[in-house]
């Protein structure tokens, strides 16, 4: 309380508004206008000492003051109180004055208003009388004008009619003019406007005349449109406009469709002719294309042997690049796409816009044009696409050489991609699927071509190897030479390169396969549209690439290798034996590792899913092994034949009865040993040593016990006592019992010892058989003894089981003794001396 | 002591040994009225002789008689088709340290004919063997060494052909074969030293054809003009060893050679063999068609094996006997039809490995079509029978 009062007291000269507000607040309080705090009121009102409260009790207040305050304070309180009372009084006086002034002015205003309203009431009265007069006049005027208005309305109706009539009468002229100006669309729209009317009033002669005129003109117009349509020089847009106009002229839609399509056909055919012209090899470039294939292989031939290194795909690509003097397939397909396919699409689009997607109007709707039109369109598109496809296929078939597959794939991709546009424009058309079929066929054919290329590459490589093998041998011993002179071991130079030839051959084949696979893989690349077709995901990979390309090639390798055994066998060694050996090793390598590697590679690269049965790796390996075995057997046979021919000739051509006492080992035996040595070297280059039975300590020196002197005498006494016969018979059988049967041409194992053993077996068996066909004199027998001893000295080291050589040589000497007229064997010591002398 | 040592083996009917180094020579089966076919065998170099083996089929008894062939070592024997006592040989004659091969026709002594055969139990007979009686020499000194003498098949024993080096000589035997005159001859001409290695007189076309082998070539001759009809160059990769005509199917010829192969030819198309077998592992020395069932082919090789093959596909009766079809009732007809629909495949019937040394000769019995003999260098003669199952299959 006193705070409040003090505050007002201490800050009276403060800002006016603040004070005013406080004053207002207090007044409000006084008049009970305070709404904001009844609780406050109640709280305050209970205090009787509150000077501002409603329950203020002056007595209590005074008592309180008197009790609590000092005199000074009371004095201060009293002066403060007085001051407050004074200010309150002045405030109250101001308020009363102000309100009084306002009241006075309000009273004045009310008085003035009273006067004004009275004047206005008079004016309003006047106005209402005037308005009544105006209404009266207006009614009067409208009454007078009624007649004329009706007349004018009628006149204006007549006017419109006349204008229409005038249009009708002017129509022919107007149409003519339009015709002259070639504003066909205007003419048609004019005519359309008039048509109904003319139709309706055609019973009146004048209208009829106009109608006839119009018809004539419109016929002419239609004629002209048709002419224009037929001429075809105009653009597609013009054409479609033409068609639209003609349709509006009630031309039969079917005919129009046909005509439109015929027209489109002529244009498309022009495109096709352009394509075909590219297809047909131009006469000028004819000769080059004839020459090229011959250049290609020749170049390859000359390049490959010199390199001897794996021929990389670029060298294979060369002939292809040179031969394509004409536009390549990508260009061709591009042109086909840009010209034919895009115009086809345009035709389809405009056709559909014209005939199919038209809003159905009136009587046209009943004819079900879209259905008919779609049918025609399908037939048309199919026909055109067939022509196009046949051209494309011809072109694809010309793509014989297998150099750069990416070009073909890209071309096919583009071909396929562009056909999708047709599919979008014309859903349900067979064209895209046919296109896909073409792509599939092309891919299949491609695989075949690659197979052929691989095969020819393989044969070329073989030829190269053959030449490489033949070249260093030219001066040396030709097969089965039969010259008994001991020449230098010519075989040694050639086989030195055998392992290199083998490795380069297999590496180049492998590289070729890889490069072909890389090329073929383009077909399944992700960015190629047709790669996600089911064929390319499944069958292409498994049947196409794996089976018909890779597996077939491996089979081909085996087969062609086997052919070397069969075709050559009869005609006598046209294949160099070294090649047989090399191929056999190649097939063996294939069996052990290469086939698995290639097939794994294929499966990985093409993610082959074996839905259809595929050739198992084991089967292929078996085939390769069989081929290897066959080749090696054949090698043994051929080499054995060469040596046995020498032996046979040497036995057959000599007169063994009258031969002189042996002084030397016959040259042919030295030759046999030399050849065997060179064969041994040759085989060891490609095959491992193999196992052999332990040699006895003196393998090279062994006497042939069979014909020891004493027994010979009893055996061949010139009487045939039973005991003698029995004796020999018995001995012979005992002997045979302890020696194993020898399979002469038995299959050899894949090692050197087995191979050389096979060759020696064949040679010695031949020697044996030849000896049995001859009759020998004493020295003949001794010569054979010397020869056999010489062979014994040198051949044991090559074979797996030296007893084999012993047995056969024993048998030879034994048989010679049987065939001898005067069997007097030579002393072993003499034989050894002769043999060591050489 | 017996000369033959019977070595019964599991598969063979009989085998026994004669002399060691029993060369080639032939096992020639003459036509005999009895079941038992006589076999002519060869001798070794030192004491040339002919063994006549008589095989009693029913009792499995073999009897042997020996005839001396004094003239020399025999390389080839063949029996006259008309007179079973007459045979021809090619033999080596050694004179002045030269070896010449000659041909001669012989008659066996009458004792043999009378049937006094030597039995295995009676070895003493061999102490005084009979000599062959010389009928005539096929004097070919002008023409070189004879490699074989061929009788006219089914003939009356008056015509023989001898092959001498590069000549084929046709002889007429007159006056009970004591006189031989050359009626015509053919000469093989060409570069190098050409020599006939073997030959065969064809039984077809009225016996007017001769097939010969020289080196790797097979030639056919027309005996009427003595001119060459055909020549299969390089018939075998190496030397051709033997030939045989299919007895029932004209134009068909089998050959064998050093390339281990047996080939079957249709001489009307000489570019390709009809069939080629490669079962032996060494030279094939002999090939023989069975006289009655020509699908059965016998081969002997120096790999010591005898192989009996069933060449159904090129035989004269590729579908087996169909004769009985008519007799069958309707109900069984279907069954029979089914059976004949699956003809036997060409196959090896069996391989006989009884021999320990090279087999130089094989021959079918002329009396019993299921019997055959083979002879190896060590002198072992093996007589075998066609497996029973196959026999019935062929017959039924």
């Amino acid at each position: 309380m006193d705070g409040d009062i003090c505050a007002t007291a201490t800050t009276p000269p403060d800002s006016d508004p603040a004070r005013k507000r406080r004053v207002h607040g207090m007044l409000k309080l006084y008049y009970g206008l305070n709404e904001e705090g009844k609780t406050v009121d109640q709280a305050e009102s209970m205090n009787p000492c509150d000077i501002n409260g409603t329950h203020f009790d002056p007595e209590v207040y005074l008592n309180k003051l008197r009790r609590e305050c000092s005199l000074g304070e009371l004095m201060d309180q009293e002066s403060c109180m007085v001051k407050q009372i004074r200010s309150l009084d002045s405030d109250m006086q101001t308020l009363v004055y102000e309100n009084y002034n306002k009241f006075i002015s309000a009273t004045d205003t009310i008085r003035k208003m009273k006067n004004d309203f009275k004047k206005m009431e008079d004016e309003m009265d006047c106005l209402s009388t005037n308005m009544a007069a105006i209404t009266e006049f207006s009614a009067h005027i409208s009454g007078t004008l009624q007649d004329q208005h009706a007349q004018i309305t009628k006149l204006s109706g007549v006017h419109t009619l006349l204008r229409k009539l005038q249009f009708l009468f002017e129509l022919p002229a107007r149409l003519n003019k339009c015709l002259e100006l070639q504003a066909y669309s205007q003419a048609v729209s004019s005519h359309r406007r008039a048509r109904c009317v003319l139709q309706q009033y055609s019973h009146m002669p004048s209208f009829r005349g106009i109608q006839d005129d119009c018809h004539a003109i419109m016929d002419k117009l239609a004629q002209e449109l048709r002419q224009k349509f037929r001429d075809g020089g105009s653009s597609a847009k013009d054409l479609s406009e033409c068609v639209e106009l003609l349709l509006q002229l009630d031309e039969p839609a079917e005919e129009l469709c046909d005509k439109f399509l015929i027209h489109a056909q002529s244009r498309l055919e022009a495109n096709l002719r352009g394509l075909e012209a590219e297809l047909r090899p131009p006469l000028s470039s004819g000769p080059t294309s004839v020459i090229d294939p011959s250049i290609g292989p020749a170049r390859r031939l000359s390049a490959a042997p010199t390199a001897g290194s794996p021929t990389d795909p670029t060298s294979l690509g060369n002939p292809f690049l040179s031969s394509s003097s004409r536009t390549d397939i990508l260009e061709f397909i591009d042109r086909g796409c840009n010209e034919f396919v895009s115009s086809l699409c345009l035709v389809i689009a405009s056709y559909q816009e014209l005939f199919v997607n038209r809003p159905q109007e009136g009587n046209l709707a009943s004819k079900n044009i879209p259905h008919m039109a779609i049918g025609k369109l399908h037939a048309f598109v199919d026909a055109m696409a067939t022509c196009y496809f046949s051209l494309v296929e011809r072109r694809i078939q010309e793509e014989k050489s297998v150099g750069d597959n990416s070009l073909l794939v890209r071309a096919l991709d583009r071909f396929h991609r562009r056909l999708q546009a047709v599919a979008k424009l014309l859903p349900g058309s067979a064209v895209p699927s046919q296109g896909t079929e073409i792509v599939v066929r092309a891919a299949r054919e491609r695989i075949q071509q690659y197979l052929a290329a691989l095969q020819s590459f393989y044969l070329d490589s073989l030829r190269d190897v053959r030449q490489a093998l033949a070249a260093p041998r030219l001066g040396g011993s030709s097969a089965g030479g039969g010259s008994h002179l001991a020449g230098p071991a010519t075989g040694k130079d050639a086989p030195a390169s055998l392992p290199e030839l083998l490795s380069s051959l297999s590496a180049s084949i492998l590289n070729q396969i890889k490069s072909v696979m890389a090329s073929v893989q383009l077909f399944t690349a992700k960015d190629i549209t047709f790669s996600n077709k089911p064929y390319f995901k499944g069958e292409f990979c498994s049947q196409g690439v794996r089976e018909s390309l890779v597996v077939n090639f491996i089979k081909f390798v085996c087969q062609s290798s086997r052919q070397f055994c069969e075709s050559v066998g009869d005609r006598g060694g046209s294949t160099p034996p070294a090649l047989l050996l090399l191929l056999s090793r190649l097939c063996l390598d294939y069996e052990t590792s290469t086939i698995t590697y290639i097939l794994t590679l294929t499966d990985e690269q093409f993610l082959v899913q074996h839905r259809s049965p595929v050739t198992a790796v084991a089967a292929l390996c078996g085939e390769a092994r069989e081929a290897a075995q066959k080749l090696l057997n054949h090698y043994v046979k051929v080499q054995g034949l060469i040596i046995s021919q020498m032996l046979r000739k040497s036995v057959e051509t000599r007169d063994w009865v009258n031969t002189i006492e042996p002084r030397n080992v016959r040259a042919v035996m030295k030759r046999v040993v030399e050849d065997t040595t060179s064969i041994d070297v040759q085989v060891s280059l490609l095959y491992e040593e193999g196992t052999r039975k332990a040699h006895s300590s003196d393998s090279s020196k062994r006497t042939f016990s069979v014909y020891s002197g004493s027994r010979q005498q009893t055996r061949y006494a010139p009487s045939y006592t039973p005991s003698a016969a029995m004796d020999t018979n018995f001995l012979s059988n005992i002997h045979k019992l302890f020696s194993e049967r020898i399979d002469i041409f038995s299959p050899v194992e894949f090692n050197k010892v087995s191979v050389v053993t096979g060759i020696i077996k064949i040679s010695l068996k031949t020697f044996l058989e030849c000896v049995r066909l001859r009759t020998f004199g004493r020295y003949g027998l001794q010569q054979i003894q010397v020869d056999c001893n010489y062979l014994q000295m040198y051949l044991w080291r090559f074979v797996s089981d030296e007893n084999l050589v012993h047995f056969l040589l024993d048998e030879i000497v034994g048989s010679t003794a049987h065939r001898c007229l005067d069997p007097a064997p030579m002393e072993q010591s003499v034989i050894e001396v002769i043999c060591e002398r050489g | 002591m017996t000369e033959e040592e019977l070595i019964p083996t599991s598969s063979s009917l009989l085998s026994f040994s004669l002399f060691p180094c029993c060369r080639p020579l032939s096992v020639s089966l003459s036509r005999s009225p009895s079941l038992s076919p006589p076999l002519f065998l060869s001798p070794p170099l030192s004491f040339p002789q002919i063994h006549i083996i008589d095989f009693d089929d029913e009792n499995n008894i073999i009897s042997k008689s020996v005839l001396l062939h004094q003239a020399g070592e025999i390389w080839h024997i063949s029996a006259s088709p008309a007179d079973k006592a007459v045979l021809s040989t090619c033999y080596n004659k050694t004179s002045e340290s030269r070896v010449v091969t000659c041909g001669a026709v012989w008659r066996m002594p009458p004792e043999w004919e009378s049937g006094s055969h030597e039995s295995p139990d009676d070895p003493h007979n061999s102490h005084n063997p009979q000599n062959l009686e010389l009928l005539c020499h096929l004097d070919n000194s002008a023409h070189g060494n004879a490699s074989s003498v061929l009788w006219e098949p089914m003939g009356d024993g008056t015509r023989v052909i001898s092959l001498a080096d590069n000549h084929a000589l046709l002889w007429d035997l007159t006056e009970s074969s004591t006189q031989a005159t050359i009626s015509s001859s053919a000469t093989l001409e060409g570069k190098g030293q050409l020599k006939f290695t073997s030959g065969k007189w064809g039984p077809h076309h009225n016996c007017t054809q001769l097939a010969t082998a020289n080196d790797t070539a097979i030639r056919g001759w027309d005996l009427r003009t003595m001119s060459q009809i055909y020549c299969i160059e390089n018939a075998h990769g190496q030397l051709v060893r033997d030939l045989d005509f299919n007895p029932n199917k004209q134009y068909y010829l089998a050959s064998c050679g050093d390339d281990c192969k047996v080939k079957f030819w249709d001489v009307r198309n000489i570019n390709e063999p009809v069939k080629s077998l490669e079962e032996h592992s060494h030279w094939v020395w002999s090939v023989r068609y069975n006289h009655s069932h020509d699908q059965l082919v016998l081969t002997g090789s120096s790999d010591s094996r005898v192989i009996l093959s069933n060449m159904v596909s090129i035989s004269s009766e590729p579908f087996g006997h169909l004769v009985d079809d008519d007799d069958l009732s309707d109900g069984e007809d279907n069954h029979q039809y089914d059976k004949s629909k699956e003809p036997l495949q060409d196959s090896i019937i069996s391989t006989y490995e009884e021999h320990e040394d090279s087999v130089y000769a094989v021959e079918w019995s002329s009396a019993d079509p299921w019997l055959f003999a083979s002879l190896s260098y060590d002198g072992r003669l093996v007589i075998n029978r066609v497996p029973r199952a196959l026999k019935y299959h062929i017959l039924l």
Side-chain angles (χ1 to χ4, degrees), chain A residues 688-692 751-758 798-800:
Chain A
E688 294 75 30
E689 178 73 21
T691 55
R692 60 173 94 216
N751 60 56
K752 186 194 83 176
V753 168
S754 173
V755 169
V756 180
T757 305
F798 299 120
V799 298
S800 59

Side-chain angles (χ1 to χ4, degrees), chain A residues 637 658 720 745 769 772 819, chain B residues 73 97 129 278 281 358 360:
Chain A
K637 264 191 194 181
N658 299 315
Y720 64 108
F745 288 137
E769 292 297 334
R772 286 180 179 178
R819 304 285 320 146
Chain B
E73 182 191 18
S97 59
E278 191 171 2
S281 71
S358 308
Y360 291 123

Side-chain angles (χ1 to χ4, degrees), chain A residues 18 48 454:
Chain A
L454 271 181

Side-chain angles (χ1 to χ4, degrees), chain A residues 594-758:
Chain A
T594 317
I595 288 178
T596 320
Y597 172 70
I598 293 174
L599 285 184
T600 316
L601 195 73
T602 316
D603 288 357
E604 276 170 7
Q605 283 194 356
F606 290 90
L607 301 170
V608 175
Q609 298 151 341
H610 301 294
R611 261 174 292 176
S612 45
V614 291
T615 317
V617 177
L620 278 181
C621 286
E623 201 165 324
R625 191 179 180 86
E626 200 184 302
Q629 182 74 59
K630 207 161 178 185
L631 282 164
L632 200 61
N633 286 350
H634 192 62
Y635 174 76
V636 168
K637 264 191 194 181
V638 168
Q639 292 286 32
L641 177 64
I642 290 170
I643 293 180
S644 52
Q645 288 283 15
M646 273 193 302
L647 286 168
R648 200 180 111 194
K649 290 246 161 61
S650 79
V651 174
E652 279 179 358
T653 50
R654 200 173 172 118
D655 181 2
W656 289 99
V657 178
N658 299 315
T659 187
I660 52 160
E661 191 174 358
R663 296 181 190 284
N664 284 313
V665 179
R666 283 187 300 145
V668 68
M669 294 302 156
K670 293 179 180 169
R671 182 72 192 284
V672 166
V673 171
E674 272 161 17
D675 279 10
T676 313
T677 313
S678 70
I679 288 169
D680 185 67
V681 169
Q682 194 178 52
V683 176
S684 71
L685 288 173
L686 291 180
Y687 278 101
E688 294 75 30
E689 178 73 21
T691 55
R692 60 173 94 216
K693 290 185 184 166
H695 297 300
S696 64
S697 54
D698 57 345
S699 297
S700 61
K701 305 197 177 197
R702 186 171 171 276
T703 52
F704 299 109
S705 56
V706 179
Y707 50 92
S708 61
S710 58
R711 217 156 34 134
Q712 283 295 319
Q713 293 304 341
T714 54
R715 213 199 233 179
Y716 298 107
S719 74
Y720 64 108
T721 57
S723 61
M726 175 55 207
D727 183 26
T728 48
N729 178 26
F730 181 72
L731 282 171
S732 159
N733 279 328
I734 294 292
H735 181 81
K736 297 280 166 59
L737 276 178
F738 286 100
S739 59
E740 287 170 27
R741 179 193 292 276
I742 301 170
D743 271 338
I744 305 305
F745 288 137
S746 59
V748 287
E749 288 160 33
F750 293 106
N751 60 56
K752 186 194 83 176
V753 168
S754 173
V755 169
V756 180
T757 305

